[in-house]
Amino acid sequence: MDTLMLSRLQFAFATFIHFIFVPLTLGLSILVAYMETKYVRTGDETYKKMAKFWGKLFLINFALGVVTGITLEFQFGTNWSRYSTYVGDIFGSLLAIEATAAFFLESTFVAVWVFGWKKLSKTFHAVCIWIVAFAANLSALWIILANGFMQNPMGYVIRNGRAELDSFYAVITNGFAWSQYIHTVVGSYVLAGFFVMGVSAWHLLRKQNIDFFGKSFRIGLGFALVASLVVAIQGHSHGNEVARIQPAKLAAMEAHWETGTHVPMYLLSIPDEKNEKNSVEAFGIPSMLSILAFNDPAAEVKGLKAFAPEDRPPVTLTFLSFRLMVGFGTLMILLTVWGFLKRNNLLDNPRYLQFMVWAIPVPYLALQAGWAVAEVGRQPWIVHGLMRTKDAVSPIATSQVAVSLAAFVVVYLLLASLDIYLLAKYARKVPA
């Protein structure tokens, strides 16, 4: 492997591990804030215990997420220095705001919340965790605005061989980025809901503190049900954006090769990239891809052959990732609807509770697949239409990247294992 491939693997691996922690932080912070607010409003001590129990799991995940996130920004300087030189004015400003305006706000109030249980009024203490939740979601916004520039660059001018910031307003009102943000963040809420339901189901199956975990389960269920429906509806809208701005990515998502109108969608396809066709196409739904892409059965949808081979994303990986994302998303909707129907007699449905314990990883897999669609589908561009990934890598020795990649694999796997161990250890505890 060369420096480019090793650098891509290193960033992908580090992001993959970091993205295990981030979604749970985003969603669980809101659930903990909601539970504590219920305690303030009702005086019911159960909700206070819930805020503390789920808050401890939030803190474990938050701490390890911070550790794994710091190195990602360093990689832009070490492995992607040409990229940093080219778009650093724009990309760097967004990351700087994320660090100073969101991350420090979040970190500060996390500390206030942890140490303030006996020193602050109940109301102000609840306000602190809402600030934490707001800051966590604000932090994600700036990160995705930065990524949104890579997906749909705007608000820049090319001067002296570099992309320089021309309109900060255009960068932060990038519609593609906002659509991507909503899709990602609401997907994180689904994940947090499934996490709370899965842990609660484990305890309910053992008849442990039924009142506490029954209430927790129903809070997680309501949160996940609404969020999973929003993700599906908003996902269609985001698909329209992809069709309009990144037609090659859309074609790869569907393994669609020939440009045409009234394009069907095939429920079963097997891409054959080498021969620029699908080796299997079956169960086609007439005009469905035209409808999904442009809300018009007669709309023209560009096929992969409309793009030069060097401008096409990896088709098979993008196609499979998209299928996995949609499949897991559908499964999550079915599980939450099933749970809604059984919410008043959960203990009488042990089969469903067992499903929910095993379903904890499902939203993680859906989000990772979605991330692969977004990032792999953007290739060969690191900044869509502006800079190719191969032109962005640092001029460093392959051996340097190989050694650092090996170190990343070892350290990040240890951190991920530590996170899972600590979450499992404290999730098994039964609140008094």
Side-chain angles (χ1 to χ4, degrees), residues 31 59 109 128 141 239 267 349:
L31 283 172
L59 292 171
F109 276 89
C128 289
L141 172 62
L267 299 179
N349 293 276

Side-chain angles (χ1 to χ4, degrees), residues 34-35 38 44 46-47 50 53-54 193 196-223 339-340 342-348 352-353 430-431:
Y34 173 78
M35 292 166 182
K38 288 278 286 185
D44 187 338
T46 302
Y47 291 109
M50 289 166 65
F53 177 84
W54 298 107
V196 170
M197 284 191 288
V199 173
S200 300
W202 189 86
H203 286 282
L204 290 174
L205 285 167
R206 288 159 180 76
K207 306 289 193 295
Q208 295 172 339
N209 205 335
I210 292 172
D211 179 56
F212 179 96
F213 287 108
K215 286 180 177 175
S216 293
F217 190 98
R218 283 185 282 274
I219 289 174
L221 173 63
F223 195 56
F340 180 77
K342 304 295 183 184
R343 66 190 184 283
N344 293 325
N345 52 354
L346 291 169
L347 294 178
D348 296 332
Y352 174 68
L353 293 175
V430 182

Side-chain angles (χ1 to χ4, degrees), residues 67-148:
V67 173
T68 56
I70 291 173
T71 59
L72 285 174
E73 297 191 12
F74 289 137
Q75 287 189 46
F76 291 112
T78 56
N79 293 28
W80 304 100
S81 60
R82 286 172 172 155
Y83 166 80
S84 299
T85 300
Y86 192 66
V87 298
D89 287 2
I90 306 161
F91 198 77
S93 63
L94 296 168
L95 295 187
I97 294 172
E98 185 273 333
T100 55
F103 175 67
F104 282 113
L105 181 67
E106 181 184 12
S107 303
T108 300
F109 276 89
V110 161
V112 173
W113 185 76
V114 170
F115 297 107
W117 279 104
K118 295 181 180 178
K119 298 175 182 175
L120 302 174
S121 70
K122 291 195 296 185
T123 301
F124 185 67
H125 194 266
V127 169
C128 289
I129 190 64
W130 275 113
I131 292 175
V132 170
F134 169 75
N137 285 268
L138 181 64
S139 179
L141 172 62
W142 290 108
I143 295 294
I144 294 180
L145 284 175
N147 184 268

Side-chain angles (χ1 to χ4, degrees), residues 87-412:
V87 298
D89 287 2
I90 306 161
F91 198 77
S93 63
L94 296 168
L95 295 187
I97 294 172
E98 185 273 333
T100 55
F103 175 67
F104 282 113
L105 181 67
E106 181 184 12
S107 303
T108 300
F109 276 89
V110 161
V112 173
W113 185 76
V114 170
F115 297 107
W117 279 104
K118 295 181 180 178
K119 298 175 182 175
L120 302 174
S121 70
K122 291 195 296 185
T123 301
F124 185 67
H125 194 266
V127 169
C128 289
I129 190 64
W130 275 113
I131 292 175
V132 170
F134 169 75
N137 285 268
L138 181 64
S139 179
L141 172 62
W142 290 108
I143 295 294
I144 294 180
L145 284 175
N147 184 268
F149 177 81
M150 300 165 74
Q151 303 282 350
N152 181 35
M154 55 175 53
Y156 69 94
V157 293
I158 301 298
R159 186 179 294 130
N160 299 320
R162 299 172 63 246
E164 296 183 359
L165 185 61
D166 181 58
S167 171
F168 187 68
Y169 178 79
V171 172
I172 64 173
T173 57
N174 185 342
F176 190 95
W178 278 94
S179 178
Q180 194 175 21
Y181 171 73
I182 295 169
H183 198 62
T184 305
V185 167
V186 180
S188 301
Y189 299 164
V190 180
L191 183 148
F194 268 72
F195 179 81
V196 170
M197 284 191 288
V199 173
S200 300
W202 189 86
H203 286 282
L204 290 174
L205 285 167
R206 288 159 180 76
K207 306 289 193 295
Q208 295 172 339
N209 205 335
I210 292 172
D211 179 56
F212 179 96
F213 287 108
K215 286 180 177 175
S216 293
F217 190 98
R218 283 185 282 274
I219 289 174
L221 173 63
F223 195 56
L225 175 59
V226 173
S228 60
L229 294 173
V230 171
V231 166
I233 296 168
Q234 195 275 336
H236 171 67
S237 172
H238 187 55
N240 293 155
E241 295 267 6
V242 172
R244 184 172 59 84
I245 295 170
Q246 298 179 328
K249 177 191 284 186
L250 178 82
M253 288 161 58
E254 295 291 348
H256 171 56
W257 295 95
E258 304 286 349
T259 300
T261 59
H262 298 91
V263 181
M265 186 184 77
Y266 294 97
L267 299 179
L268 176 61
S269 301
I270 299 178
D272 180 359
E273 286 190 65
K274 185 178 179 181
N275 295 303
E276 298 186 327
K277 65 176 187 177
N278 293 332
S279 56
V280 173
E281 279 184 346
F283 309 114
I285 304 175
S287 300
M288 182 54 72
L289 183 53
S290 292
I291 295 172
L292 291 175
F294 298 104
N295 301 320
D296 178 359
E300 179 183 275
V301 181
K302 282 189 175 180
L304 285 158
K305 289 183 180 179
F307 305 91
E310 63 270 22
D311 290 339
R312 299 174 192 166
V315 176
T316 302
L317 183 54
T318 307
F319 172 84
L320 292 176
S321 299
F322 180 65
R323 289 292 184 282
L324 287 173
M325 180 186 71
V326 173
F328 286 133
T330 304
L331 177 60
M332 289 186 290
I333 291 174
L334 293 175
L335 286 173
T336 49
V337 170
W338 185 6
F340 180 77
L341 297 174
K342 304 295 183 184
R343 66 190 184 283
N344 293 325
N345 52 354
L346 291 169
L347 294 178
D348 296 332
N349 293 276
R351 179 69 59 85
Y352 174 68
L353 293 175
Q354 289 169 351
F355 267 123
M356 295 314 296
V357 174
W358 288 104
I360 292 176
V362 170
Y364 283 96
L365 296 171
L367 282 166
Q368 294 287 358
W371 168 75
V373 173
E375 301 307 298
V376 176
R378 189 189 61 229
Q379 302 303 318
W381 307 98
I382 192 168
V383 182
H384 185 247
L386 196 62
M387 185 181 204
R388 291 178 185 271
T389 306
K390 66 181 178 62
D391 298 325
V393 71
S394 298
I396 53 178
T398 302
S399 59
Q400 290 178 294
V401 188
V403 170
S404 60
L405 172 59
F408 267 100
V409 170
V410 172
V411 173
Y412 272 51

